[in-house]
Amino acid sequence: MRRNIIAAIALLLWGAGLTASAVAQQPVKLGVLNDQTGLYADLTGMGSVHAARMAVEDYGGKVLGRPIEVIFADHQNKPDIGANIARQWIETEGVNLILDIPNSAVGLAVREVTRTHDAVDINTGAATSDLSGKACSPHGVHWSFDTYGLAATIGQALVKQGGDTWFFITADYAFGHALERDTSAFVTAAGGKVVGAARHPLNTADFSSFLLQAQASKAKIVALSNAGGDTINAIKQAGEFGLGRSSDQRVAALLLQFPDTHALGLEAAQGLTASETFFWDLDDATRAWTKRFLARNGGKPPSMIHAGTYGATLHYLKAVAAAGTTDATKVVAKMKELPIDDFYTKGTVREDGRVMRPYYLLQVKKPSESRYPFDYLKLLATVPAEKAARPLSESDCPMVKPR
């Protein structure tokens, strides 16, 4: 009897040792979920995959003694596809972190998946401020930018410059609606007036009917509440309609990222005002990282989503090491404790999951002002993090304590 008991205990201990060894060899898996082929591919796509892998290499390739693996997939800008990929990744492939997730409708769908699973989502690609508002989660972080910060930076500035009447051309889904909503609030608060809006489907080729409505409104600001390929097409076609170059009506791209400006070229984009949280030529650190990124990304310049994906990956890995686990709730809690420190971000993760960071008001240079490759932007103003973030006293995030 005693020999049987000892043998059974030995067998259990041996099995436990095998299990611990097996767990130690399982990779910590990071999934980059984004648009690989559509209108946001230049802003996210393989650039985000390269950025995540750069961060893993810079971290050392292992955490908690386990290798780190980066995988990726294309959500095709469809919330159901994005949610299904996220669920499969977590339940069958052991993915611990989902990154990027551009397209706010997809981002919100994935947020609901990670909320009920042991996985973290760090949204570096979608903009809706609801990700740190009513859709906030103990498993989620909103990293690079949001519609509130964009609105706080560009909305108030243009009203102060005399743009006191606004017409919105808005992408008809969660992101466009949130950006129009948040910008309208700042325009109204600054003494301006919204005189109308037109909604367009995602990935629109022909903006003529929307631009004609904007012209007929006589609004001083024609605000593009869209992104990526839609913004590029709208700006090009606005020029054909005579919008943007006259003193009467000015085109404002509420989310114009650096690859968009690069795709447009200075001749078409000159004079446009933009709001970003990152641009490559900000300082020596951003220039050094961009040089490395260009070599990985076929010479294509980085967006703030790419920069954010790098920083989010690095901060997540530091939090995993500090927490001693990949448990989603514990890791996100540790992310909120640790300061963020990389070439792009010097800040913190607030209790609602929003990264606190400054926003930059930028203007696209004239061709004659550009002195070297990618010299496209000039800095007009910096909005500090406290001014660019929705006050917690106004938050509808269930995790925020009443103030």
Side-chain angles (χ1 to χ4, degrees), residues 158-208:
L158 293 182
V159 173
K160 288 178 182 177
Q161 293 173 14
D164 55 3
T165 52
W166 287 58
F167 185 95
F168 287 89
I169 296 178
T170 299
D172 194 11
Y173 76 108
F175 156 67
H177 299 171
L179 187 53
E180 180 186 325
R181 175 197 68 201
D182 290 344
T183 306
S184 295
F186 276 101
V187 168
T188 303
K193 182 180 179 181
V194 176
V195 299
R199 303 282 174 84
H200 70 81
L202 187 68
N203 208 9
T204 299
D206 184 2
F207 280 86
S208 57

Side-chain angles (χ1 to χ4, degrees), residues 57 102 211 216 270:
E57 292 167 16
L211 292 166
Q270 61 181 304

Side-chain angles (χ1 to χ4, degrees), residues 32-70:
V32 177
L33 181 60
N34 64 19
D35 180 354
Q36 289 282 317
T37 56
L39 76 167
Y40 300 143
D42 284 347
L43 304 175
T44 61
M46 284 305 298
S48 291
V49 180
H50 296 320
R53 288 176 174 164
M54 285 169 66
V56 169
E57 292 167 16
D58 289 350
Y59 187 77
K62 285 190 174 184
V63 65
L64 303 181
R66 297 161 59 185
I68 305 163
E69 181 181 345
V70 177

Side-chain angles (χ1 to χ4, degrees), residues 360-379:
Y360 305 110
L361 184 67
L362 305 158
Q363 188 172 55
V364 180
K365 291 182 175 182
K366 298 175 183 177
S368 60
E369 296 175 310
S370 180
R371 297 166 295 159
Y372 45 85
F374 299 142
D375 180 25
Y376 300 160
L377 302 172
K378 50 187 172 186
L379 179 62

